[in-house]
Amino acid sequence: MGRLRRLLAPGRPKLVSLRTTFAVSFAAVTAAVTILVGILSYGSAARLVRVDQQSVFSQVVQDVRDEVRQHEMVPEDFSSSRPGHDLVRPARTDVQVLGAQGQIVDHGNPSLPVTSRDKAMALATTAGKVVQHKDVPVDGDVYRIATVSLGDGRGAVQVAQEFSDTEDLLRTLQQRTLILMAAVVVAAGLFGWWLARRITRRLVVLTSAAEDVARTRQLGIEVPVAGLDEVGRLGRAFDRMLGRLAQSEEDQRRLVQDAGHELRTPLTSLRTNISLLRRIDELSPAMREELVADLAQEARELTDLVNELVDLAAGQSDTEPPQRVDLADIAEEVVGLAKRRTGREIVLRTSGDTTTDGRPGMLQRAMSNLVENAAKFDRDGKAPIEVDITGPARSGTVRVEVLDRGPGIAEGDLIRIFDRFYRAADARSLPGSGLGLSIVREVAMAHGGAPFAFRREGGGAVIGFTVGG
C-alpha cells in the first residue's frame, strides 16, 4: 500500500510510453508541415485568383479606353439593346452607360451607383479618362467599378466586376483546406500510432524481459527478439548479456560451494588441534613440537588457499587495463623470483616476437603458478625446470610452456587438471589447493588463448597456455 500511495502521489511524474511519444511527435510534425503547406498553398491560390480577376478587369477597362480614344463614340454605341454593340462583357462583369449630364441612359444589371466623380467623367472633354472605385456594395455584393469618359462631354461608360463571388470562392477554398488539413493530421496521428506500435513492439518485448529479470532475478529468461536492425542487435546483445551474467552467477555459486568444501577440511583439522592445546600440559615435548608444526602447516595451507581464491576471483573481474606487454620480460621476472624462492635451477628460452596485448599482473600470476607447480611436483629433481616463450605461433598466438622432469601426469588426469580444486590421486599428499592451474586457465581464456598439458617425452610434464590470436 505504501508503494501504491507513492505511485499515486500528485508530485510523482507520470510515465509516458515511447509508443505514445513517437505517435504524438509524428502527428505534431505532420500537423506542422500540413498547416505550413496549407497556408502557403491557400495564400498562393488566393493571390493567383485575385491577380487573375484584377488583370481581366484591367484589360476590359483598357479595351474601353482604347476604343473611345480611337473613335468618337456616343452612349448609344454601348447600349445593351443595340444589336452588335461594341463592348464585350466578360463573366461577372456589369456595364452601365451614362449620358452627357451623368444620367443613366442604360442601366446595368444590377444598377451601379453614380457618384459626383462619375458625373465629372461624363462631362470630361478628354476621351479615355478613368476614375475607379474599390469595394463598392451593390445589392449585397461587392464590386470594383471603373468609369471611362467618352470625351467632349458626351457621357461615360461604367464597367464593374463582382468581387464578392471571388471572395466567397476563396472562403470555400479556405474551409476545404482546413478540413483537408484536419483530416491529414488525424490520419497522420492514426498512422503514427500504428507505425509506433510496429516499431516499438520488439522494444516492448525487451522491456518486459528486463522487468521480468528485475522482478524475478532469474537470468535465464529467453529474449525472443529477431531482426537485423538496431532493435534486433539490441535484443541479441541483451540476450548475450543475460547469458554471461547467468554464467557469471553460476561460476560464483560454484566457486563458493567449492571453496566451502575445500575450506572445511583445514578448518576441521585446526579445530581438532586447537582442542588439543587445552591439554598441552599433558603432552610430551615431542608431541608439542609436532602439534605446533601441524598448526603452522595448516595455517600456511589455509593462507595459500585463501590467497588463491582471492587471485581466482580477481582474475574473473580484473580491472587492470590491457596494454602492450612482452611475455619474455614477464617470464624473466617470474624466473628470477622462483629461483630465489625454491633454490632450483630454472632455464628461460625465448624465440620470435613475444609481445602481445594483455594485462601484465594476470599474465605474471599465471606464469608464477606454472613454475611453482613444476617446482612442487619435481621437488627433488636434479634437472632444471625449463620455461619456453615462443611467438608468434599458429594464428598469431604467443605460446608459454613450462617443462619439468617430475612424475608426470596420468592420462586420465590430463583433461581435468585445470578444473578448480581438482588434485590428482598422487598429488593429494602434497601441499596446495588445486586452484593454481584453474587460475592459469582463466588468465589464458581472458587473453583469447587456451591452456594445455601433456606428458613429456622421457618423463615429466609440459604445461602452459597461449595468448593472443
Side-chain angles (χ1 to χ4, degrees):
M1 290 298 294
R3 184 180 179 187
L4 181 60
R5 284 194 295 270
R6 290 195 298 270
L7 291 174
L8 297 179
R12 190 179 184 88
K14 186 178 180 180
L15 296 178
V16 180
S17 68
L18 179 62
R19 179 181 300 171
T20 301
T21 303
F22 183 85
V24 171
S25 300
F26 187 87
V29 171
T30 304
V33 173
T34 302
I35 291 173
L36 179 61
V37 172
I39 291 174
L40 293 176
S41 299
Y42 172 78
S44 299
R47 184 166 57 253
L48 288 174
V49 170
R50 291 189 177 106
V51 169
D52 182 67
Q53 292 295 319
Q54 178 64 41
S55 63
V56 170
F57 180 72
S58 300
Q59 186 62 45
V60 172
V61 173
Q62 187 62 41
D63 290 343
V64 175
R65 293 181 66 188
D66 293 341
E67 188 70 19
V68 299
R69 285 175 179 173
Q70 295 173 7
H71 309 284
E72 291 185 3
M73 305 187 72
V74 296
E76 288 77 10
D77 293 331
F78 294 95
S79 174
S80 59
S81 60
R82 179 178 176 180
H85 61 277
D86 297 289
L87 184 62
V88 178
R89 293 171 170 81
R92 295 192 302 276
T93 301
D94 190 15
V95 177
Q96 182 169 277
V97 183
L98 303 181
Q101 302 300 319
Q103 75 281 10
I104 299 175
V105 297
D106 189 1
H107 289 273
N109 184 25
S111 295
L112 303 176
V114 180
T115 65
S116 58
R117 297 173 63 191
D118 299 325
K119 292 179 180 180
M121 288 297 100
L123 296 173
T125 58
T126 303
K129 293 183 66 176
V130 179
V131 62
Q132 294 194 19
H133 309 281
K134 294 182 179 180
D135 301 332
V136 179
V138 179
D139 292 346
D141 294 323
V142 179
Y143 284 77
R144 56 168 64 92
I145 301 174
T147 303
V148 181
S149 64
L150 300 179
D152 296 332
R154 291 189 297 269
V157 178
Q158 287 183 300
V159 180
Q161 182 185 53
E162 185 180 350
F163 182 68
S164 57
D165 282 354
T166 301
E167 294 302 318
D168 291 341
L169 175 64
L170 292 177
R171 278 194 294 271
T172 302
L173 177 62
Q174 184 182 48
Q175 293 173 356
R176 292 183 179 180
T177 302
L178 291 175
I179 293 174
L180 180 61
M181 287 192 298
V184 170
V185 171
V186 172
L190 295 176
F191 179 74
W193 180 258
W194 173 83
L195 187 62
R197 282 176 58 88
R198 183 177 179 85
I199 292 176
T200 61
R201 181 169 50 200
R202 290 176 293 164
L203 290 176
V204 171
V205 174
L206 280 177
T207 303
S208 300
E211 290 174 346
D212 289 342
V213 171
R215 184 179 64 255
T216 64
R217 297 186 180 181
Q218 298 294 325
L219 300 176
I221 294 177
E222 183 180 358
V223 183
V225 176
L228 301 177
D229 57 1
E230 287 80 1
V231 179
R233 290 169 54 196
L234 176 62
R236 288 188 291 274
F238 185 70
D239 192 51
R240 289 194 298 270
M241 180 189 70
L242 289 181
R244 292 193 177 186
L245 287 175
Q247 182 62 44
S248 177
E249 185 180 48
E250 175 63 21
D251 290 343
Q252 291 178 1
R253 184 189 62 79
R254 189 157 49 88
L255 177 62
V256 171
Q257 289 178 348
D258 294 343
H261 175 74
E262 293 297 323
L263 286 170
R264 193 174 293 115
T265 300
L267 288 175
T268 301
S269 180
L270 278 174
R271 283 197 301 268
T272 301
N273 287 330
I274 290 173
S275 66
L276 289 176
L277 289 176
R278 301 178 186 274
R279 302 164 46 206
I280 194 170
D281 294 337
E282 304 175 8
L283 302 178
S284 64
M287 294 182 65
R288 292 178 186 176
E289 290 294 332
E290 183 179 356
L291 177 60
V292 171
D294 287 345
L295 285 172
Q297 178 65 26
E298 290 162 359
R300 282 194 298 271
E301 290 184 4
L302 188 60
T303 301
D304 293 340
L305 176 59
V306 171
N307 289 336
E308 289 182 336
L309 284 172
V310 171
D311 289 343
L312 185 61
Q316 290 179 348
S317 60
D318 203 312
T319 58
E320 182 183 13
Q323 54 185 283
R324 197 68 181 174
V325 296
D326 190 343
L327 293 183
D329 294 340
I330 296 177
E332 188 175 350
E333 296 179 8
V334 170
V335 167
L337 181 61
K339 285 180 179 179
R340 292 191 294 272
R341 284 180 177 177
T342 64
R344 292 289 303 276
E345 181 183 359
I346 303 175
V347 178
L348 172 63
R349 293 188 295 265
T350 62
S351 62
D353 183 9
T354 58
T355 59
T356 186
D357 293 326
R359 295 179 170 88
M362 295 177 65
L363 294 170
Q364 184 175 17
R365 187 183 307 132
M367 290 188 192
S368 297
N369 288 352
L370 290 177
V371 174
E372 291 175 2
N373 186 76
K376 179 175 65 175
F377 284 94
D378 190 19
R379 180 175 300 178
D380 299 327
K382 302 301 181 182
I385 298 172
E386 302 172 24
V387 179
D388 288 348
I389 312 294
T390 307
R394 179 180 55 85
S395 302
T397 60
V398 180
R399 186 179 180 90
V400 178
E401 292 183 348
V402 176
L403 304 88
D404 63 61
R405 289 295 182 182
I409 305 173
E411 288 290 342
D413 295 328
L414 285 175
I415 61 174
R416 299 192 59 190
I417 62 172
F418 293 102
D419 294 343
R420 292 174 183 170
F421 301 107
Y422 179 77
R423 303 182 70 188
D426 55 356
R428 291 171 185 169
S429 61
L430 297 175
S433 62
L435 287 175
L437 294 183
S438 65
I439 294 175
V440 173
R441 181 188 64 183
E442 297 289 340
V443 173
M445 296 179 66
H447 287 78
F452 58 85
F454 54 89
R455 297 168 62 86
R456 187 180 182 186
E457 186 178 353
V462 179
I463 306 178
F465 61 94
T466 59
V467 295

